[in-house]
C-alpha cells in the first residue's frame, strides 16, 4: 500500500531552522563571553553556562528536529520528543487550518513542523503547506485504489518516544538544576 510513485517527501518549515541556528550561535557567543570575562563566581558562571546549554539544546530539539515525512505507507510526524506514524488506511482527516493535524479513529496528532497558513491564505481558508502535501499524497493513494478495502490492521498510529532528544534535554536540565542549587546554597 504505497504512494503510486513510491517516493518519500520531507517537509520542514523555512523559518524554524534559521531561528535554531541563530539561537545556538547566540548561546555560543554568550557562553564565550561568560568564559572570557565573567565577574561572577564559579557556581554562578556554571549556572549561566548550564542555562545557555539548555536553551541551545531546546532550540535544536524544538526548532531543528521536527519534520513531516510523507512515506509510501503513511505519514510520519517527528515532533520534538515523539515520533508518530499514521498509515494511509488509518487516516480519516487532514486538517490544515492551524498547521497540520491528522485524525484517526482513535485520536488526532499535530505536527510541530507545520505552521499555519500565511495571512492571505488563512483568510481565504486555505490549508497549510504541510497539510496540502499530505492531502495530495493521500488522494493519490486513494485514487490508485489502495484504500478501497477500508480495513485497518493494528493500531491506527504507532507512537515512539525519541530517546536521544529526551536525553539531550535531560542532561542540561539536570546540570542547570544542580548549578542553581549550588548557587542557592552558596
Amino acid at each position: 500500500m504505497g504512494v503510486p510513485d513510491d517516493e518519500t517527501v520531507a517537509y520542514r518549515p523555512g523559518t524554524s531552522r534559521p531561528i535554531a541556528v541563530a539561537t545556538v550561535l547566540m548561546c555560543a557567543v554568550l557562553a564565550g563571553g561568560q568564559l572570557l570575562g565573567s565577574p561572577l563566581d564559579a557556581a554562578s558562571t556554571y549556572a549561566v553556562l548550564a542555562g545557555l546549554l539548555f536553551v541551545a539544546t531546546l532550540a535544536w530539539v524544538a526548532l531543528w528536529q521536527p519534520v513531516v515525512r510523507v512515506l509510501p505507507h503513511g505519514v510520519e510526524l517527528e515532533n520534538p520528543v515523539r515520533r508518530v506514524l499514521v498509515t494511509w488506511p488509518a487516516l480519516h482527516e487532514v486538517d490544515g487550518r492551524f498547521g497540520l493535524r491528522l485524525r484517526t479513529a482513535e485520536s488526532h496528532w499535530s505536527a510541530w513542523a507545520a505552521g499555519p497558513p500565511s495571512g492571505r491564505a488563512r483568510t481565504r481558508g486555505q490549508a497549510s503547506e504541510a497539510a496540502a502535501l499530505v492531502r495530495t499524497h493521500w488522494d493519490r493513494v486513494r485514487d490508485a485504489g489502495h484504500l478501497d478495502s477500508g480495513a485497518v490492521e493494528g493500531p491506527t498510529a504507532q507512537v515512539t518516544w525519541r530517546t536521544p532528544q529526551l536525553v539531550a534535554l535531560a542532561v542540561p536540565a539536570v546540570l542547570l538544576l544542580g548549578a542553581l542549587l549550588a548557587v542557592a546554597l552558596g
Side-chain angles (χ1 to χ4, degrees):
M1 176 144 343
V3 173
D5 54 358
D6 215 30
E7 66 184 21
T8 296
V9 180
Y11 174 82
R12 285 187 166 91
T15 56
S16 64
R17 284 191 155 194
I19 294 170
V21 169
T23 302
V24 170
L25 287 175
M26 180 185 67
C27 288
V29 167
L30 291 172
Q34 186 67 33
L35 290 172
L36 293 176
S38 172
L40 299 175
D41 61 4
S44 297
T45 297
Y46 179 68
V48 169
L49 293 175
L52 290 170
L53 178 62
F54 180 75
V55 169
T57 305
L58 185 62
W60 173 70
V61 170
L63 298 171
W64 187 270
Q65 293 289 309
V67 63
V68 174
R69 283 194 188 87
V70 178
L71 306 168
H73 55 282
V75 182
E76 182 180 63
L77 309 177
E78 281 204 28
N79 288 334
V81 296
R82 210 168 44 171
R83 179 179 291 122
V84 179
L85 174 64
V86 177
T87 61
W88 294 122
L91 189 59
H92 284 234
E93 180 186 352
V94 177
D95 183 6
R97 283 180 297 160
F98 302 108
L100 173 62
R101 176 177 275 193
L102 305 177
R103 292 188 193 277
T104 66
E106 297 172 356
S107 191
H108 60 273
W109 308 97
S110 295
W112 275 60
S118 63
R120 284 192 175 165
R122 189 176 331 159
T123 58
R124 291 183 195 136
Q126 292 176 322
S128 67
E129 290 178 40
L133 174 71
V134 170
R135 194 172 289 125
T136 297
H137 283 271
W138 188 33
D139 289 344
R140 287 168 50 192
V141 169
R142 187 182 57 242
D143 292 346
H146 295 297
L147 303 178
D148 290 344
S149 72
V152 178
E153 297 176 12
T156 60
Q158 298 170 2
V159 181
T160 55
W161 292 101
R162 299 182 69 205
T163 306
Q165 285 74 10
L166 287 167
V167 170
L169 286 170
V171 168
V174 168
L175 292 174
L176 178 59
L177 288 174
L180 291 173
L181 187 61
V183 169
L185 298 175

